[in-house]
Amino acid sequence: MNTTTPSLCQIKSNHASHAWNKKKRNFLSEECELLRGDMDEVEEKSKDIINFTAEKLSVDEVSQLVISPLCGAISLFVGTTRNNFEGKKVISLEYEAYLPMADNEVRKICSDIRQKWPVKHIAVFHRLGLVPVSEASVIIAVSSAHRAASLEAVTYAIDTLKAKVPIWKKEIYEESSSWKRNKECFWASNN
């Protein structure tokens, strides 16, 4: 006998299928909301983080500041105090800076980097005061989608910082000390 009346099993199956489709639509709707949240990350605002401090610098902390889900590369430059200079034993370095101008110059460097390379975040931390041997004097971190941009930007940042930012370094030796002229600095004479 051929009837078109659905059986109870077919009715339950259709009802379950309808309920499943509704759950599936709700799940997809929630998934779309999550994706919209991810899209907000696409519009994550770029940051320039600049810090001059007497506190010990942490490579981990500075590199964490430039992490972005949009980036596949973080490049770092870490300048440390070495234990010798021209045959003399270095005990520590001492840094001083004219902070208003130093901050302004580093902001210009960040702006220049953004004009030249597609980078996301930039962090420039420089130590002031005494910096013992093996500790970081400067940490520069840059994040970008691909490595070439962040590597080139980090190189540009340290080279330009040394050439333009008013930061002075005193080397302290076992028996004496000496303020060092930065040969890369534009205001240094070529005598």
Side-chain angles (χ1 to χ4, degrees), residues 84-88 180 183:
N84 66 85
F85 179 75
E86 295 180 349
K88 297 177 190 171
K180 302 314 277 181
K183 295 173 188 146

Side-chain angles (χ1 to χ4, degrees), residues 2-74:
N2 194 355
T3 101
T4 58
T5 308
S7 70
L8 185 57
C9 285
Q10 288 172 323
I11 292 171
K12 284 184 178 178
S13 175
N14 287 340
H15 179 70
S17 176
H18 177 70
W20 170 250
N21 284 335
K22 185 176 180 183
K23 283 182 184 176
K24 192 170 157 183
R25 278 192 307 275
N26 286 340
F27 175 78
L28 289 174
S29 177
E30 289 171 13
E31 190 72 15
C32 287
E33 288 300 316
L34 289 173
L35 287 174
R36 272 190 219 110
D38 288 345
M39 291 303 290
D40 289 343
E41 291 177 4
V42 169
E43 296 177 25
E44 175 187 25
K45 186 174 169 121
S46 295
K47 299 181 289 190
D48 295 340
I49 307 122
I50 300 163
N51 190 20
F52 294 91
T53 181
E55 302 296 317
K56 185 175 180 176
L57 300 180
S58 166
V59 174
D60 288 339
E61 288 176 18
V62 175
S63 63
Q64 288 290 317
L65 294 171
V66 300
I67 289 175
S68 169
L70 303 172
C71 296
I74 294 175

Side-chain angles (χ1 to χ4, degrees), residues 154-169:
V154 161
T155 300
Y156 176 84
I158 188 59
D159 290 348
T160 309
L161 181 142
K162 289 183 71 67
K164 294 187 174 182
V165 180
I167 298 172
W168 298 276
K169 174 174 76 173

Side-chain angles (χ1 to χ4, degrees), residues 51-57 99 125-131 137:
N51 190 20
F52 294 91
T53 181
E55 302 296 317
K56 185 175 180 176
L57 300 180
L99 289 177
F125 280 52
H126 204 295
R127 183 97 175 255
L128 299 175
L130 290 176
V131 183
S137 300

